[in-house]
């Protein structure tokens, strides 16, 4: 059975209580909004990209502990990183969430998942979310919005 | 009528035997959908096992039985609501939402002119907002909102001025977020004195308060079976016979026609005009059983029971959390029902509900399809607990215990 | 796959135990509504007993279970139809009729211009006619009819000329009066070669023939659960993801929005956009069980079984009544299903059905919501017998015996 | 249990096989159409009214044995009768049908029903219809249409 402690790891509560990289960036930083229509979570991401590097990122919005901590953890993971690296992190994280998004309720046992966990470092704290399928959308909101931001900057 | 024993009611609800995370379920989400008594389930089973057939055009025995069951449900509805014109005033739809769309697209599209105003309130469910926005797009009507006061009531202080151009007032009898009970009879008088009609969203009220359409003097009444101990898949639309007769058809298809040729069609009369296609027959059987069940308990008794529960819960919520748990809705039982929306300081409603689930406590987090109201109070969501006739004080005990954990966890 | 034993299927159907006028029921009205296997009834009971909750916005366990059941039914539908884009292409409505209205009022109203032609056939059910007449009224489209030949087939001899201006061809896969099976793939090619789309009314076909949307190359597919061993109160609307994405919403309310304010709303994406209000959750559970049941028997097996029954019945009807009983539909099993409409010389279909009822034989008299077809053949009504997977040759025996009485009585 | 012989009395089958007063009347006779949307029964009634007397009536249309025999029986019952008498017959007949239209499936036992039966003479053959509630609409179609015709002439 899924346990609350799997979901609300200490690091998640920490990022929820003290979110990192909170705030706005002035233009020419790019601004993108994300939205979870089911629960009303909202996020606004500001990204500053220079020479293929995500030099700065700020976030505002509101949502549950999972969406807030996920966005905070994300910001620390991608800030200052080359865009390829950012995209790779996004892919790895979404992979982690997706693995079981399709198999509601099953336990996480696949080996690629284990490898992903190691690659994700602190972000791995969010792995427990997959045991709570309805909360996956909370965890991925920031990441989908970041993908959209990168795509918009690219376009 | 003597009060019923809610423990016996609970015994009639199979789902109450569920054990969630090692604890008996504490179901506090009747505002979203009520639990189903055995007799309602059995009424549907009986239909499928003994009387299943399509209705209206059969000659054989089971088809007649199915028709009698379906039309009998219309009579149950009329009796339950004290519909002045009887069962011919009852249309079955798929849910309250379809009923509102029927109201907007048939009556609204036929009788409202560009610039005419539909007056709803800021505390409406999206079902009573979006169809009017759609009608605004297609027909140019204006949608105006009655504001909500800081103490969670309709702000009727300037209502006379707001009535300019209003042809329909469409308001909920009980807010699905605040629990507020609105003064329907007063609104009917107001509407009628300005030559407007009154539509009532009874989705949250019909299972919790007695409904008397004659006393309320409303012109339209809308609700769903699944919030009144009945099945999913059935909604009710009521209006006076003379209004119904003037309304053009909505959905087209079999059963709603008088004649069809390759040139065109002429619609049927009566409720059939609005019931295109095979209707929710089994669901009508279940709905009638739900009405019987509610009438057996007595709506006054249910209201009194839930009022007691609500009063107790409001008092204890106010006492036990040092202000960290705020009730978004009237603080006492004066003109309010058993829907209690909570805002827990520092804990997002999603997290509240998640922690509560761990204790088997079922509450609903979210905007409750009332985003304008959420925006009015600067909230993204609340965690909502709501009672039914099967609720007990022990449910409130479980709620408070679990809430304590939630508050501590995010402390 | 080996053929199933229809006697065992019959054993799964509680209603088959009914005794009517002293005889076991002979149910020959599956074309109107099919009988319900125990497993379908139980799936719905289980939902009400263990998993009942509203879907989509819950966090607690039973709400998640309800959501999984509801979304799982979408997957069942996608699998059953071999939908190219999976479950995201499945919309649940209340019945096939609502699905046609969705097609006409969302896709039709958005993408058809005044003068554009919707090509239906003379053998359509009113569900696939009236919504187009309504769209003609509101949007000025033209409704054109493919004629039906004297031998009960679509008359495609002049079809190329009829395609002028056509933007949508909307045709039934199997006639609910004639039993005629139409060449859907051919019609898809025809439509596509003229830049039109193809909508298929699968109400009569999905429970009797295998459906493969990839092979059929259709663009819309519509049917009802209650004609495929499922419950009343659920319809299916399928279209390709890219078409669905472009369609504007239809009914407005909760669940179909992305955002709502007092100023307006933005719609959700995916099937939710068309599922306003609380959906038919229990019915989805029953529908999924019906799909499982049909897939367990194997659609090819069902088709073969019913073909045998139909061939036998057609032969015996031709032999035993000296021409007094005429079949309104193809006389052999070539491209036709188990829907057999009868015209008994000198006996009105109502009287036929009444006499048959006395023998426990359930057939449906009437125009079967296909009045243009009735007019085409100069009939006011027929008495229709129709088979299901639980039908046996003994049902045909009972039909013929009762028919003999009817013929004698009115001799 | 309702028996087929209750419904299909010999006299009904006779009127069905050999309908009386079949045909049309030329203007100034009044023409009225009746329609049963559920089963597709149709009737056209032509009435000739002179000095408060229904001097002639003719019928066309199609329908089941009940609707056809009912209209044929009706035509013989009202032809040549003063309008009051016609209206009274209509009322008595509809009363007979209505008594149990509301109590589906119950047996006919009320005493006013018995008196009605005597008053109705040959028409009483239709009394068995009330045991078959769905067929009541068939039996009353002609009568409702005649009422409508009289109202139209009156207006
Ligand atoms: C061919 C056909 N299309 C559409 C329908 C309409 O189905 P429903 O009444 O379930 O909406 C039917 C059934 O009556 C049918 O036979
Ligand atoms: C006040 C109110 N109105 C309308 C509705 C819509 O009901 P349904 O979803 O059954 O259409 C609801 C329930 O969600 C409600 O609470």
């Amino acid at each position: 059975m899924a346990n609350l402690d799997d979901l609300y790891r200490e690091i998640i509560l920490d990022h929820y209580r003290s979110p990192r990289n909170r705030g706005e960036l002035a233009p020419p930083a790019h601004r993108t909004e994300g939205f979870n229509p089911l629960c009303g979570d909202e996020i606004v991401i500001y990204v500053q990209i220079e020479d293929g590097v995500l030099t700065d990122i700020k976030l505002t919005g509101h949502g549950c502990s999972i969406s807030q901590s996920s966005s905070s953890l994300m910001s620390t993971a991608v800030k200052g990183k080359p865009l390829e690296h950012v995209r790779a992190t996004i892919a790895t994280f979404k992979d982690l969430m997706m693995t079981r998004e399709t198999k509601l309720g099953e336990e996480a046992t696949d080996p690629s998942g284990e490898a992903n966990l190691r690659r994700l470092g602190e972000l791995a704290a969010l792995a427990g979310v997959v045991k709570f399928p309805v909360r996956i959308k909370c965890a991925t909101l920031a990441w989908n919005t970041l993908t959209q931001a990168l795509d918009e900057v690219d376009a | 009528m003597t009060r019923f024993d809610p423990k016996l009611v609970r015994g009639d609800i199979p789902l109450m035997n569920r054990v969630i995370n090692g604890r008996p379920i504490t179901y506090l989400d009747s505002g979203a959908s009520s639990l189903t008594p055995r007799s309602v389930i059995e009424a549907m089973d009986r239909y499928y096992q003994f009387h299943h057939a399509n209705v209206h055009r059969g000659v054989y025995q089971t088809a007649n039985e199915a028709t009698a069951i379906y039309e009998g449900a219309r009579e149950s509805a009329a009796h339950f609501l004290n519909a002045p014109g009887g069962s011919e005033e009852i249309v079955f739809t798929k849910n309250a939402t379809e009923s509102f769309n029927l109201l907007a697209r048939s009556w609204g599209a036929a009788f409202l002119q560009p610039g005419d105003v539909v007056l709803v309130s800021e505390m409406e469910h999206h079902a009573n907002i979006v169809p009017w926005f759609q009608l605004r797009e297609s027909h140019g009507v204006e949608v105006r909102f009655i504001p909500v006061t800081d103490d969670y009531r309709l702000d009727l202080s300037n209502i006379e001025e707001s009535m300019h151009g209003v042809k329909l007032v469409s308001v909920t009898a009980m807010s699905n977020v605040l629990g507020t009970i609105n003064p329907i009879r007063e609104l009917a008088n107001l509407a009628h004195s300005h030559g407007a009609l009154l539509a009532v969203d009874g989705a949250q009220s019909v299972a919790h308060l007695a409904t008397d359409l004659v006393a309320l003097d409303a012109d339209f009444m809308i609700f769903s079976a699944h919030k009144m101990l009945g099945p999913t898949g059935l909604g009710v639309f009521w209006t006076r016979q003379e209004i119904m007769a003037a309304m053009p058809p909505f959905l087209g298809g079999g059963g709603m026609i008088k004649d069809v040729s390759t040139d065109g069609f002429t619609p049927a009369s009566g409720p059939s005009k609005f019931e295109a296609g095979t209707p929710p027959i089994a669901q009508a059987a279940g709905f009638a059983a739900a009405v019987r069940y509610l009438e057996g308990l007595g709506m006054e008794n249910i209201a009194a029971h839930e009022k007691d529960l609500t009063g107790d819960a409001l008092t204890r919520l106010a006492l036990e959390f040092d202000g960290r748990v705020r009730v978004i809705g009237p603080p006492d039982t004066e003109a309010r029902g058993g829907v209690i929306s909570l805002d827990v300081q520092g804990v997002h409603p999603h997290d509240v509900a998640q922690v509560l689930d761990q204790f088997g406590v079922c509450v609903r987090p979210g905007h409750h399809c009332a985003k304008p109201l959420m925006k009015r109070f600067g909230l993204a969501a609340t965690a909502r607990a709501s009672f039914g006739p099967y609720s007990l004080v022990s449910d409130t005990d479980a709620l408070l215990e679990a809430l304590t954990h939630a508050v501590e966890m995010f402390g």
Side-chain angles (χ1 to χ4, degrees), chain A residues 22-40:
Chain A
R22 193 100 189 144
E24 307 187 1
L25 291 176
H30 186 78
R31 179 182 185 283
T32 302
E33 286 182 23
F35 206 67
N36 184 342
L38 284 186
C39 57

Side-chain angles (χ1 to χ4, degrees), chain B residues 321-382:
Chain B
F321 293 96
D322 284 332
R324 272 204 65 184
V325 174
R326 191 162 62 106
V327 171
I328 309 299
D332 55 44
T333 59
E334 174 68 25
R336 75 112 71 219
V339 169
I340 304 182
S341 268
L342 303 175
D343 180 35
V344 182
Q345 196 191 317
V347 196
H348 191 277
H350 253 86
D351 294 313
V352 173
Q354 190 79 61
V355 175
L356 265 51
D357 172 59
Q358 209 65 19
F359 296 85
V361 176
C362 309
V363 300
R364 191 147 293 244
H367 52 62
H368 315 298
C369 296
K371 291 197 100 178
L373 183 70
M374 291 288 128
K375 287 174 189 169
R376 159 70 179 85
F377 288 103
L379 296 163
T382 70

Side-chain angles (χ1 to χ4, degrees), chain A:
Chain A
M1 199 198 66
N3 194 294
L4 267 195
D5 299 335
D6 292 335
L7 188 63
Y8 298 118
R9 303 263 171 90
E10 200 38 60
I11 191 166
I12 289 184
L13 293 178
D14 175 49
H15 274 261
Y16 177 50
R17 293 195 196 99
S18 328
R20 324 294 198 264
N21 299 302
R22 193 100 189 144
E24 307 187 1
L25 291 176
H30 186 78
R31 179 182 185 283
T32 302
E33 286 182 23
F35 206 67
N36 184 342
L38 284 186
C39 57
D41 286 359
E42 281 174 20
I43 186 170
V44 185
I45 298 188
Y46 301 82
V47 288
Q48 182 85 40
I49 293 170
E50 284 160 50
D51 299 331
V53 172
L54 183 67
T55 53
D56 203 0
I57 180 167
K58 292 270 188 209
L59 309 153
T60 66
H62 54 82
C64 66
S65 62
I66 303 304
S67 78
Q68 295 300 291
S69 61
S70 182
S71 60
S72 174
L73 280 159
M74 177 184 83
S75 71
T76 58
V78 299
K79 185 169 165 178
K81 295 286 179 348
L83 289 188
E84 295 138 68
H85 182 103
V86 173
R87 291 226 186 240
T89 305
I90 295 175
T92 310
F93 182 78
K94 291 205 62 180
D95 212 35
L96 177 71
M97 293 293 128
M98 291 285 286
T99 335
R100 298 108 193 168
E101 200 167 11
T102 45
K103 336 179 193 149
L104 296 187
E106 281 176 29
E107 290 292 318
T109 48
D110 61 313
S112 79
E114 296 305 318
N116 279 346
L117 284 187
R118 274 192 304 279
R119 250 199 308 277
L120 284 167
E122 246 194 345
L123 283 170
L126 285 158
V129 173
V130 296
K131 297 190 187 170
F132 297 81
V134 279
R135 308 302 295 275
I136 292 174
K137 283 203 156 54
C138 311
T140 52
L141 174 64
W143 300 81
N144 291 333
T145 311
L146 180 58
T147 304
Q148 193 189 325
L150 297 184
D151 291 349
E152 285 166 2
V153 172
D154 232 30

Side-chain angles (χ1 to χ4, degrees), chain B residues 57 249-260 265-268 272-278:
Chain B
R57 271 172 310 270
F250 175 39
L251 302 180
M256 53 66 74
I257 58 101
K258 195 166 136 195
D259 196 19
V260 181
F265 76 100
T266 45
S272 312
K273 181 165 57 175
F274 306 105
E275 296 181 355
T278 302

